[in-house]
């Protein structure tokens, strides 16, 4: 298929009718960002897609030109259309049109009045015949979706088609006969199994020999069950491998950034932990420390001295009083002793009283009985005898009392101070003064604590500043990531990511062990067993069945080898063709080549650039990498041409966006010179910013390009004077150049 | 070396009559900086308070009064904390894990009261002045010095209302008077 003409009408920013005409070879559409490059690409996708088949649907209202719709009067209708004229593989003209009619409702909203997607064949009379788009795209093989998948590429990254693991299967189905071998393989397997059973049944007839064969058969079945287990395990491991590979592929481009951010996150966390520890060390409870650490006693020394002095005074006074009292007591004691002497003498006298002088008790009895017991005469109350006795009794009692009082003088001295508060408080003052808190140290302790806290604050401040710096640096790194991944979150899941690598690696090692060792070993044992079995089979019928069985086995093996060889041949052919394109497009004069190999771990295709030393070139520059992918795509396109007898255009949106300045032009120069297939490229190459900061066409560059061969070049750009906030003012204008 | 204390100190430890001027200080100072009726319920109410129990700011006011030599008789409504002196400084550490007990403070408060009051200890020991009367003299001294301290704080807050909200304000304020006291 060759695209001859494209009409875009009122499709998004393509207001009114815009026409592009194309030819075989290179076709360029030049536009800067926002000029409508992607819309051009989407318009082609729109007209070549069959929604229900491709299980997608365009948003119709989003396809309508806002400018066109804004100009509609309420109730009026407008038409949106994309039409493409092509030549099919037989060079017959075909047209596909996808259009819709929209109405502006009274409330200003949009309704879809009608839509159609139709194909047309020209008639001799100048008219045209309507056909189903499906019949053209599939039936006639104009542009089947599977071809479109490898023909339309939006952005540079999409060029690496082998990131999609279904690609190999798709390509094999498209271009090789391998898929046709499937029924034959099934048939061979069926024949082998059936004949094997027939051999066994026949063999059973000869019991003796049958037993040996049956034993061998049981061993074979066992070995085959092991093989089946290994194959099943291999399939699981391949799934594990490819699942983890897909995860890794999705983030691999960001891996260095993720690791860097992970390191930063770790460092920040460590610093935050350190800050937490420092904060824990802070003791800024200055108010409660007045009490808890008795800092409140900072001014207490003079008070304590006052207390001590006062207690000392009290103590001294008390002691003085006690001493005075003691002296008095001593003095009194001396007097008492003198007195005691007199009393003793008196007592002595008393004891020396004549026998008729009675003792106190006798005299008290005499007064009671009113009779003198000495002389025996009556002594009634009021008589002189009674008075005489009473006088004697009083004198005796007075002496006795006096003696008693003197004996207790010492106790009175002790009772002068009943309590000992002065002593105990004096002792308290001494103790606080001598053994209490060192009040003179408090001031220094407070200052030390303040300075310790200040030091901690400085340390915390330093660490927080480092945290801020690291966070800023991390934000900068994150902002530079253009992949769309949440790098911060991925970095937080660093352990998971490492686990993906580990699981992939483990699976890879196990796959290698199973494919290179375990399965071949089992196959060898099965083969040996089969040989023994053949010899054990003695029955004639069984021997015949065995020959049939051997035939089917050989057939199966042959088909398998054929499949494998076909696949290898396909990859060889793909690589050879791709390398031819690489050599042609190579603008770096690079001597390496594209290596296309099958990854036994997940049955996918690996595409690498290999240096002359046979080693992979892991980090080719972007332009080379893109050229490599383009070469593979051109190779696929070439294979399509060979296999399906039809060729298809390559339509690429911004494939060279990451090329260094100038390299893209060389690239297009080469393409124009050497490419023999239709390639429509939308690019901002050949545009530069002029003095007024507006994009202008590099006319010299274009002239140089066209000097090789004249090709269609279109300039698309936004009409100036639009309102940035109003989409209905945006319009893409299309200008054919030269 | 354990000091065998006499009745006066022990009787003082049992006393609860540490008074303050309720109208002047309860709301503006005590409740503002202390957990009023603290030590029994949850910790939520304690947040944002400088001190836990109300007697803590009372001790602060007392030492402030002592260092500034401000003794001021109480006027108006009087109130006390209903808490024996012996329980001051016994912090509930399970409730306030950042704090420490400071029961040594009683001896220092008591020694200041002896130093600053005109109590006649000889009369006490002689029995001429009863222990309760002696304790009463000491508690009046305590209340009047604390009152002096509270008034100093009040004056400061009149010129700088949020002065004591600062982290180091209580320390800085008393340190000034403590230094003067030492000179």
């Amino acid at each position: 298929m060759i695209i001859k003409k494209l009409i875009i009408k009122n499709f998004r920013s393509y207001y009114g009718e815009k026409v592009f005409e194309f030819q075989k070879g290179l076709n360029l559409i030049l536009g800067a960002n926002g000029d409508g490059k992607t819309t051009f690409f989407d318009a082609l996708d729109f007209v070549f897609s069959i929604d229900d088949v491709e299980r997608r649907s365009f948003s119709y209202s989003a396809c309508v030109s806002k400018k066109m719709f804004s100009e509609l009067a309420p109730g009026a209708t407008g038409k949106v259309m994309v039409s493409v004229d092509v030549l099919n593989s037989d060079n017959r003209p075909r047209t596909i049109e996808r259009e819709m009619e929209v109405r502006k409702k009274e409330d200003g909203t949009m309704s879809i009045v009608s839509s159609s997607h139709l194909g047309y064949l020209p008639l001799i009379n100048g008219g045209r015949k309507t056909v189903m788009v499906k019949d053209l795209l599939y039936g006639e093989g104009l542009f089947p979706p599977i071809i479109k998948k490898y023909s339309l590429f939006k952005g540079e990254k999409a060029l690496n088609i082998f990131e999609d693991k279904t690609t190999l299967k798709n390509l094999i189905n498209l271009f090789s006969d391998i898929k046709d071998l499937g029924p034959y393989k099934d048939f061979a397997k069926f024949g082998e199994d059936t004949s094997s059973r027939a051999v066994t049944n026949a063999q059973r007839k000869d019991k003796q020999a049958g037993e040996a064969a049956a034993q061998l058969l049981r061993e074979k079945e066992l070995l085959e069950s092991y093989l089946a287990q290994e194959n099943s395990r291999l399939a699981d491991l391949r799934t594990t491998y490819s699942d983890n590979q897909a995860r890794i592929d999705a983030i691999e481009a960001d891996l260095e950034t993720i690791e860097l951010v992970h390191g930063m996150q770790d460092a920040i966390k460590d610093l935050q932990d350190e800050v937490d520890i420092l904060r824990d060390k802070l003791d800024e409870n200055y108010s409660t420390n007045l009490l808890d650490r008795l800092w409140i006693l900072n001014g207490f020394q003079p008070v304590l001295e006052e207390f001590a002095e006062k207690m000392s005074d009290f103590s001294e006074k008390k002691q003085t009083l006690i001493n005075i009292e003691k002296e008095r007591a001593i003095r009194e004691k001396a007097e008492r002793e003198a007195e005691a002497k007199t009393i003793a003498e008196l007592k002595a006298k008393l004891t020396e009283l004549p026998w008729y002088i009675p003792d106190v008790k006798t005299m008290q009895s005499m007064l009671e009985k009113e009779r003198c017991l000495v002389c025996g005469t009556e002594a009634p109350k009021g008589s002189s005898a009674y008075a005489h006795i009473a006088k004697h009794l009083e004198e005796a009692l007075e002496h006795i009392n006096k003696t008693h009082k003197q004996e207790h003088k010492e106790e009175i001295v002790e009772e002068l101070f009943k309590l000992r508060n002065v002593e105990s408080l004096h002792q308290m003052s001494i103790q606080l003064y001598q053994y209490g808190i060192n009040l003179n140290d408090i001031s220094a302790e407070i200052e030390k604590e303040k300075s310790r806290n200040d030091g901690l604050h400085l340390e915390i401040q330093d660490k927080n500043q480092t945290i801020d710096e690291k966070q800023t640096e991390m934000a900068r790194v994150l902002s530079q990531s253009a992949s769309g991944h949440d790098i911060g979150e991925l970095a937080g899941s660093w352990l998971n990511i490492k686990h993906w690598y580990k699981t992939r690696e483990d699976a890879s090692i196990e796959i290698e062990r199973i494919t290179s060792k375990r399965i071949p070993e089992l196959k060898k044992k099965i083969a040996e067993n089969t040989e023994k079995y053949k010899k054990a089979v003695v029955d004639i019928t069984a021997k015949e069945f065995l020959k049939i069985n051997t035939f089917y086995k050989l057939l199966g093996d042959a088909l398998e080898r054929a499949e494998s060889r076909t696949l290898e041949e396909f990859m060889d052919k793909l690589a050879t063709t791709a390398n031819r394109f690489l050599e042609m497009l190579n603008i770096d004069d690079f001597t390496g080549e594209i290596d296309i190999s099958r990854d036994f771990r997940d049955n996918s295709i690996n595409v690498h650039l290999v240096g002359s030393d046979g080693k992979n070139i892991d980090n080719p520059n972007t332009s080379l990498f893109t050229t490599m992918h383009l070469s593979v795509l051109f190779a696929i396109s070439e294979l399509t041409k060979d296999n399906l007898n039809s060729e298809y255009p390559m339509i690429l949106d911004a494939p060279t966006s990451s090329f260094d300045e100038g390299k893209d032009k060389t690239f297009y120069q080469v393409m124009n010179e050497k490419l023999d297939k239709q390639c429509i490229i939308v690019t901002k190459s050949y545009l530069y910013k002029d003095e007024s900061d507006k994009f202008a066409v590099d006319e010299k560059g274009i002239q140089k390009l066209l000097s090789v061969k004249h090709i269609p070049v279109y300039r698309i750009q936004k009409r100036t004077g639009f309102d940035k906030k109003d989409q209905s003012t945006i319009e893409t204008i299309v200008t054919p150049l030269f | 070396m354990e000091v065998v204390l006499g009745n006066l100190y022990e009787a003082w430890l049992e006393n609860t009559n540490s008074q303050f001027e309720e109208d002047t200080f309860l709301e503006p100072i005590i409740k503002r900086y202390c957990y009023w009726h603290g030590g029994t319920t949850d910790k939520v109410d304690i947040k944002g308070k400088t001190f836990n129990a109300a007697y803590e700011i009372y001790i602060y006011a007392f030492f402030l009064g002592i260092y500034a030599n401000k003794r001021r008789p109480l006027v108006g409504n009087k109130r006390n904390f209903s808490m024996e002196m012996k329980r001051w400084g016994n912090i509930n550490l399970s409730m306030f894990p950042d704090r420490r007990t400071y029961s040594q403070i009683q001896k220092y408060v008591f020694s200041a009261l002896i130093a600053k009051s005109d109590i006649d200890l000889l009369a006490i020991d002689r029995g001429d002045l009863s222990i309760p009367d002696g304790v009463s003299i000491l508690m009046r001294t305590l209340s009047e010095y604390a009152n002096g301290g509270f008034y100093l704080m009040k004056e400061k807050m009149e010129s700088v209302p949020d002065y004591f909200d600062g982290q180091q304000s209580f320390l800085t304020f008393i340190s000034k008077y403590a230094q003067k006291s030492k000179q």
Side-chain angles (χ1 to χ4, degrees), chain A residues 442-507:
Chain A
I442 292 176
S443 192
E445 187 189 324
I446 294 171
E447 286 315 309
K448 193 177 164 191
E449 193 64 30
K450 279 186 185 172
S451 126
R452 193 182 73 90
N453 284 329
D454 288 348
L456 287 168
H457 274 300
L458 278 178
E459 252 186 280
I460 289 168
Q461 197 180 331
D462 279 356
K463 292 211 186 292
N464 278 335
Q465 197 178 333
T466 314
I467 289 172
D468 282 350
E469 284 165 10
K470 286 198 180 296
Q471 277 172 339
T472 309
E473 172 66 7
M474 193 166 78
R476 191 186 63 75
V477 171
L478 288 175
S479 70
Q480 282 174 357
S481 163
S483 69
H485 284 126
D486 185 342
I487 304 288
E489 197 181 317
L490 284 168
S493 312
W494 184 243
L495 282 178
N496 282 347
I497 292 173
K498 284 210 288 196
H499 183 68
W500 298 344
Y501 277 88
K502 170 105 179 43
T503 311
R504 183 188 69 166
E505 184 60 22
D506 290 349

Side-chain angles (χ1 to χ4, degrees), chain A residues 284 286-287 291-292 296 298-300 302 306-307 310 314 318 418-419 421-422 424-425 431 437 450, chain B residues 1 3-4 6-8 50 67 99-100 102 108 110-111 114-117 119 121 125 167-168 181-182:
Chain A
E284 293 183 298
Y286 292 109
S287 300
L291 302 164
D292 295 359
I296 203 160
N298 189 20
F300 202 73
E306 197 178 336
F307 171 58
K310 200 163 185 175
F314 271 126
K318 188 169 181 179
K418 293 172 186 162
L419 302 175
N421 279 297
V422 168
S424 59
L425 292 178
Q431 208 180 29
I437 299 157
K450 279 186 185 172
Chain B
M1 189 168 69
V3 179
V4 180
N7 286 342
L8 183 65
T50 308
Y67 296 155
R99 300 290 309 268
R100 299 185 202 176
Y102 51 93
Y108 289 94
F110 185 81
S111 60
I114 298 290
K116 298 295 180 184
S117 67
I119 189 166
L121 293 175
D125 277 2
Q167 197 175 36
Q168 296 189 24
S181 155
K182 285 198 274 188

Side-chain angles (χ1 to χ4, degrees), chain A residues 160-298:
Chain A
N160 184 4
I161 55 169
F162 291 108
E163 273 199 347
D164 178 354
K165 299 296 177 198
T166 62
T167 300
L168 177 63
K169 199 177 163 198
N170 287 337
L171 294 180
I172 287 169
N173 285 339
L174 259 179
F175 305 126
S176 80
D177 299 329
I178 291 176
K179 64 178 185 301
D180 299 335
L181 293 177
Y184 296 104
K185 278 172 67 184
D186 292 346
F187 178 71
K189 179 79 178 122
F190 173 75
E192 190 187 344
D193 290 348
T194 312
S195 55
S196 176
R197 276 198 300 277
V199 174
T200 313
N201 288 337
Q203 182 66 12
R204 281 205 187 107
K205 289 174 190 166
D206 186 331
K207 282 190 179 173
Q208 225 178 0
E211 188 47 43
Q215 177 60 29
L216 286 164
L217 199 62
R218 279 196 293 277
E219 283 174 20
K220 188 188 176 196
E221 280 167 0
L222 194 63
L223 288 167
E224 278 176 343
S225 76
Y226 290 158
L227 185 62
Q229 280 172 21
E230 292 297 340
N231 276 321
S232 159
R233 201 166 130 62
L234 185 63
D236 289 347
L237 284 164
R238 281 184 166 145
T239 307
T240 305
Y241 180 87
S242 57
D243 286 353
N244 284 285
Q245 182 65 49
R247 289 189 183 118
I248 290 164
D249 285 346
I251 55 116
E252 190 137 42
D254 292 322
L255 194 66
E256 272 182 33
T257 318
I258 293 168
E259 190 168 10
L260 183 68
V261 171
H262 170 71
M264 287 172 165
Q265 284 176 340
D266 262 9
I268 288 169
K269 197 182 167 302
D270 285 351
L271 282 164
Q272 279 166 339
D273 287 348
E274 285 170 27
V275 167
D276 286 346
I277 290 167
L278 290 171
R279 281 195 201 288
D280 281 348
K281 285 184 184 169
L282 277 174
D283 179 359
E284 293 183 298
N285 302 316
Y286 292 109
S287 300
T288 47
N289 277 344
L290 281 167
L291 302 164
D292 295 359
R293 297 171 71 169
L294 294 177
W295 289 354
I296 203 160
L297 298 175
N298 189 20

Side-chain angles (χ1 to χ4, degrees), chain A residues 572-623:
Chain A
D572 275 354
K573 197 171 178 185
L574 189 62
T576 309
T577 317
N579 274 315
R580 193 158 49 77
F581 278 102
L582 180 68
E583 206 180 330
M584 185 179 89
L585 297 173
N586 200 340
I587 48 178
D588 282 320
D589 197 21
F590 173 70
T591 54
E593 62 175 28
I594 296 170
D595 174 62
I596 299 179
S597 59
R598 194 170 160 200
D599 190 336
F600 70 92
R601 292 168 301 190
D602 59 355
N603 278 333
S604 62
I605 272 193
N606 284 333
V607 179
H608 291 293
L609 274 173
V610 180
S612 53
D613 56 359
K615 286 185 181 168
N616 286 350
I617 295 157
D618 291 328
N619 294 306
N621 63 54
T622 321
S623 58

